[in-house]
Amino acid sequence: MITLYGKAASRTSRNLWALEELGIAYKHVPADYLKGETKTPEFLSINPAGKVPALVDDDVIMTESLGMNLYIAHNYGEGTLWPAGKAARAKCIQWTLWAATELEPPSVGRLIEFVFKKEHERDLKNVAALVERTKAPLNTLNAALSRSAYLAGPTFTIADLNVAAVCEYLTRTNFDFTPWPAVQNWVTLCLGRPANQKVNAMKVAT
Ligand SMILES: N[C@@H](CCC(=O)N[C@@H](CS)C(=O)NCC(=O)O)C(=O)O
């Protein structure tokens, strides 16, 4: 059985979302990085970087939230989060790496400015620069979603979950998606899924 480390109000939420989509049994250890719980010798033996999320599944120890979701989908979500066919699976890998490299850096930057900083600390020049950096990735995403209902084909897969989980940083900070209507509709659909709503409730509880 998978043990997932990390409190829900962190990148762990994307892994909780994947596990809840699949409805498989798992153990959740809500280690809180803000309380030093990821710097204990016990936790560092799982992730020497002292960060969450981390996953243990029998003899598998894994970190990196988006990669962990590929692992979860591949091993436990055959035919659902992990679609059939080489082409669709290629898209799951492609969009996951795209999320990590193209969309997450400016989105996390925005989260830091709006959620982690106090209003008087906010760097408005940086906020404007981050909006500019987000435009090209959103153009790419909007074009893909104008051609296909979901990123790896006609159904929701781990590609959508991983990219939408990053987009959530934008929705949470009231990013204006008006110029990207296909993204707007798809994000609303993905984030509204019952499994993600359940994880949102877990975030509030921690
Ligand atoms: N690229 C990593 C980032 C992990 C990460 O930075 N996690 C944060 C919480 S969301 C953390 O544990 N920070 C504690 C620290 O940096 O010491 C992933 O996607 O899993």
Side-chain angles (χ1 to χ4, degrees), residues 88-113:
R89 290 171 179 182
K91 290 292 164 202
C92 290
I93 298 166
Q94 173 194 305
W95 282 109
T96 296
L97 289 178
W98 180 87
T101 57
E102 302 290 325
L103 192 62
E104 188 162 70
S107 305
V108 168
R110 188 174 165 89
L111 194 71
I112 290 168
E113 291 293 347

Short mmCIF file of all heavy atoms in Angstrom, two decimals, residues 88-113:
data_model
loop_
_atom_site.label_atom_id
_atom_site.label_comp_id
_atom_site.label_asym_id
_atom_site.label_seq_id
_atom_site.Cartn_x
_atom_site.Cartn_y
_atom_site.Cartn_z
N ALA A 88 -1.32 8.27 -26.37
CA ALA A 88 -1.90 8.96 -25.21
C ALA A 88 -0.91 8.96 -24.04
O ALA A 88 -0.79 9.95 -23.31
CB ALA A 88 -3.21 8.28 -24.82
N ARG A 89 -0.19 7.86 -23.87
CA ARG A 89 0.79 7.80 -22.78
C ARG A 89 1.94 8.79 -23.01
O ARG A 89 2.43 9.41 -22.07
CB ARG A 89 1.33 6.37 -22.65
CG ARG A 89 0.27 5.45 -22.11
CD ARG A 89 0.62 4.01 -22.15
NE ARG A 89 -0.48 3.24 -21.59
CZ ARG A 89 -0.48 1.93 -21.44
NH1 ARG A 89 0.57 1.22 -21.82
NH2 ARG A 89 -1.52 1.33 -20.91
N ALA A 90 2.32 8.93 -24.25
CA ALA A 90 3.37 9.91 -24.59
C ALA A 90 2.91 11.30 -24.17
O ALA A 90 3.69 12.11 -23.64
CB ALA A 90 3.67 9.87 -26.08
N LYS A 91 1.64 11.59 -24.41
CA LYS A 91 1.10 12.92 -24.03
C LYS A 91 1.12 13.11 -22.52
O LYS A 91 1.34 14.23 -22.02
CB LYS A 91 -0.33 13.09 -24.57
CG LYS A 91 -0.40 13.23 -26.07
CD LYS A 91 0.22 14.56 -26.52
CE LYS A 91 0.52 14.59 -27.99
NZ LYS A 91 1.53 15.57 -28.38
N CYS A 92 0.87 12.03 -21.77
CA CYS A 92 0.91 12.14 -20.30
C CYS A 92 2.30 12.54 -19.82
O CYS A 92 2.45 13.40 -18.95
CB CYS A 92 0.50 10.82 -19.64
SG CYS A 92 -1.25 10.45 -19.88
N ILE A 93 3.30 11.94 -20.42
CA ILE A 93 4.69 12.25 -20.03
C ILE A 93 5.04 13.67 -20.50
O ILE A 93 5.59 14.48 -19.75
CB ILE A 93 5.67 11.21 -20.63
CG1 ILE A 93 5.33 9.81 -20.09
CG2 ILE A 93 7.11 11.58 -20.33
CD1 ILE A 93 5.99 8.67 -20.85
N GLN A 94 4.69 13.97 -21.75
CA GLN A 94 4.99 15.30 -22.32
C GLN A 94 4.39 16.41 -21.46
O GLN A 94 5.08 17.36 -21.06
CB GLN A 94 4.42 15.37 -23.73
CG GLN A 94 4.50 16.76 -24.35
CD GLN A 94 3.63 16.88 -25.59
OE1 GLN A 94 3.77 16.09 -26.53
NE2 GLN A 94 2.74 17.85 -25.61
N TRP A 95 3.09 16.30 -21.17
CA TRP A 95 2.43 17.40 -20.46
C TRP A 95 2.88 17.51 -19.01
O TRP A 95 2.88 18.59 -18.42
CB TRP A 95 0.91 17.26 -20.56
CG TRP A 95 0.38 17.70 -21.89
CD1 TRP A 95 -0.12 16.93 -22.88
CD2 TRP A 95 0.35 19.06 -22.39
NE1 TRP A 95 -0.48 17.69 -23.97
CE2 TRP A 95 -0.21 19.00 -23.69
CE3 TRP A 95 0.73 20.29 -21.88
CZ2 TRP A 95 -0.39 20.15 -24.47
CZ3 TRP A 95 0.55 21.44 -22.65
CH2 TRP A 95 0.00 21.36 -23.93
N THR A 96 3.28 16.38 -18.43
CA THR A 96 3.77 16.43 -17.05
C THR A 96 5.09 17.20 -16.99
O THR A 96 5.28 18.08 -16.13
CB THR A 96 3.95 14.99 -16.51
OG1 THR A 96 2.66 14.38 -16.47
CG2 THR A 96 4.56 15.00 -15.13
N LEU A 97 5.98 16.90 -17.93
CA LEU A 97 7.26 17.63 -17.93
C LEU A 97 7.05 19.09 -18.32
O LEU A 97 7.71 20.00 -17.81
CB LEU A 97 8.26 16.95 -18.86
CG LEU A 97 8.77 15.62 -18.31
CD1 LEU A 97 9.73 14.94 -19.26
CD2 LEU A 97 9.46 15.82 -16.96
N TRP A 98 6.09 19.32 -19.17
CA TRP A 98 5.74 20.70 -19.55
C TRP A 98 5.25 21.47 -18.32
O TRP A 98 5.64 22.60 -18.09
CB TRP A 98 4.67 20.66 -20.65
CG TRP A 98 4.23 22.00 -21.12
CD1 TRP A 98 4.79 22.76 -22.10
CD2 TRP A 98 3.11 22.76 -20.63
NE1 TRP A 98 4.09 23.94 -22.25
CE2 TRP A 98 3.07 23.96 -21.35
CE3 TRP A 98 2.15 22.54 -19.65
CZ2 TRP A 98 2.10 24.96 -21.14
CZ3 TRP A 98 1.19 23.52 -19.40
CH2 TRP A 98 1.17 24.70 -20.15
N ALA A 99 4.40 20.80 -17.54
CA ALA A 99 3.88 21.46 -16.33
C ALA A 99 5.03 21.85 -15.40
O ALA A 99 5.07 22.97 -14.86
CB ALA A 99 2.90 20.54 -15.59
N ALA A 100 5.97 20.92 -15.23
CA ALA A 100 7.08 21.16 -14.29
C ALA A 100 8.03 22.25 -14.78
O ALA A 100 8.53 23.05 -13.98
CB ALA A 100 7.85 19.87 -14.07
N THR A 101 8.26 22.29 -16.09
CA THR A 101 9.30 23.19 -16.59
C THR A 101 8.77 24.51 -17.15
O THR A 101 9.42 25.54 -17.04
CB THR A 101 10.13 22.50 -17.70
OG1 THR A 101 9.24 22.08 -18.74
CG2 THR A 101 10.88 21.29 -17.16
N GLU A 102 7.59 24.47 -17.76
CA GLU A 102 7.08 25.68 -18.42
C GLU A 102 6.09 26.46 -17.55
O GLU A 102 6.14 27.68 -17.49
CB GLU A 102 6.37 25.31 -19.74
CG GLU A 102 7.24 24.57 -20.74
CD GLU A 102 8.32 25.46 -21.35
OE1 GLU A 102 8.07 26.66 -21.57
OE2 GLU A 102 9.43 24.94 -21.60
N LEU A 103 5.17 25.74 -16.91
CA LEU A 103 4.08 26.44 -16.22
C LEU A 103 4.31 26.62 -14.72
O LEU A 103 3.90 27.63 -14.15
CB LEU A 103 2.75 25.68 -16.45
CG LEU A 103 1.50 26.44 -16.04
CD1 LEU A 103 1.35 27.74 -16.84
CD2 LEU A 103 0.26 25.57 -16.22
N GLU A 104 4.97 25.63 -14.09
CA GLU A 104 5.07 25.74 -12.63
C GLU A 104 5.97 26.90 -12.17
O GLU A 104 5.59 27.60 -11.22
CB GLU A 104 5.53 24.42 -11.99
CG GLU A 104 5.43 24.50 -10.48
CD GLU A 104 5.45 23.16 -9.77
OE1 GLU A 104 6.49 22.50 -9.74
OE2 GLU A 104 4.40 22.79 -9.24
N PRO A 105 7.10 27.14 -12.81
CA PRO A 105 7.95 28.24 -12.29
C PRO A 105 7.23 29.59 -12.19
O PRO A 105 7.21 30.19 -11.10
CB PRO A 105 9.15 28.25 -13.24
CG PRO A 105 9.23 26.81 -13.71
CD PRO A 105 7.79 26.37 -13.86
N PRO A 106 6.59 30.09 -13.26
CA PRO A 106 5.90 31.38 -13.07
C PRO A 106 4.68 31.28 -12.17
O PRO A 106 4.34 32.25 -11.47
CB PRO A 106 5.50 31.79 -14.50
CG PRO A 106 5.52 30.55 -15.31
CD PRO A 106 6.54 29.66 -14.68
N SER A 107 4.03 30.11 -12.14
CA SER A 107 2.83 29.96 -11.29
C SER A 107 3.20 29.95 -9.82
O SER A 107 2.51 30.56 -8.99
CB SER A 107 2.08 28.68 -11.65
OG SER A 107 1.78 28.66 -13.03
N VAL A 108 4.29 29.28 -9.47
CA VAL A 108 4.75 29.27 -8.07
C VAL A 108 5.21 30.67 -7.69
O VAL A 108 4.94 31.14 -6.57
CB VAL A 108 5.89 28.25 -7.87
CG1 VAL A 108 6.57 28.44 -6.52
CG2 VAL A 108 5.35 26.83 -7.96
N GLY A 109 5.85 31.35 -8.63
CA GLY A 109 6.28 32.73 -8.35
C GLY A 109 5.09 33.60 -7.98
O GLY A 109 5.13 34.39 -7.03
N ARG A 110 4.01 33.41 -8.70
CA ARG A 110 2.79 34.18 -8.41
C ARG A 110 2.21 33.80 -7.05
O ARG A 110 1.77 34.67 -6.28
CB ARG A 110 1.78 33.89 -9.54
CG ARG A 110 0.57 34.76 -9.48
CD ARG A 110 -0.30 34.52 -10.69
NE ARG A 110 -1.61 35.09 -10.47
CZ ARG A 110 -1.94 36.33 -10.78
NH1 ARG A 110 -1.07 37.13 -11.35
NH2 ARG A 110 -3.14 36.80 -10.52
N LEU A 111 2.23 32.51 -6.74
CA LEU A 111 1.71 32.05 -5.44
C LEU A 111 2.52 32.69 -4.30
O LEU A 111 1.96 33.13 -3.29
CB LEU A 111 1.81 30.52 -5.37
CG LEU A 111 1.04 29.85 -4.26
CD1 LEU A 111 -0.46 29.92 -4.55
CD2 LEU A 111 1.46 28.39 -4.09
N ILE A 112 3.83 32.75 -4.48
CA ILE A 112 4.68 33.35 -3.45
C ILE A 112 4.30 34.81 -3.25
O ILE A 112 4.14 35.29 -2.13
CB ILE A 112 6.18 33.19 -3.82
CG1 ILE A 112 6.58 31.72 -3.70
CG2 ILE A 112 7.07 34.08 -2.95
CD1 ILE A 112 7.92 31.37 -4.31
N GLU A 113 4.12 35.53 -4.37
CA GLU A 113 3.78 36.95 -4.26
C GLU A 113 2.43 37.18 -3.57
O GLU A 113 2.30 38.07 -2.74
CB GLU A 113 3.77 37.61 -5.65
CG GLU A 113 5.13 37.74 -6.32
CD GLU A 113 6.07 38.72 -5.61
OE1 GLU A 113 5.61 39.49 -4.75
OE2 GLU A 113 7.27 38.68 -5.93
#
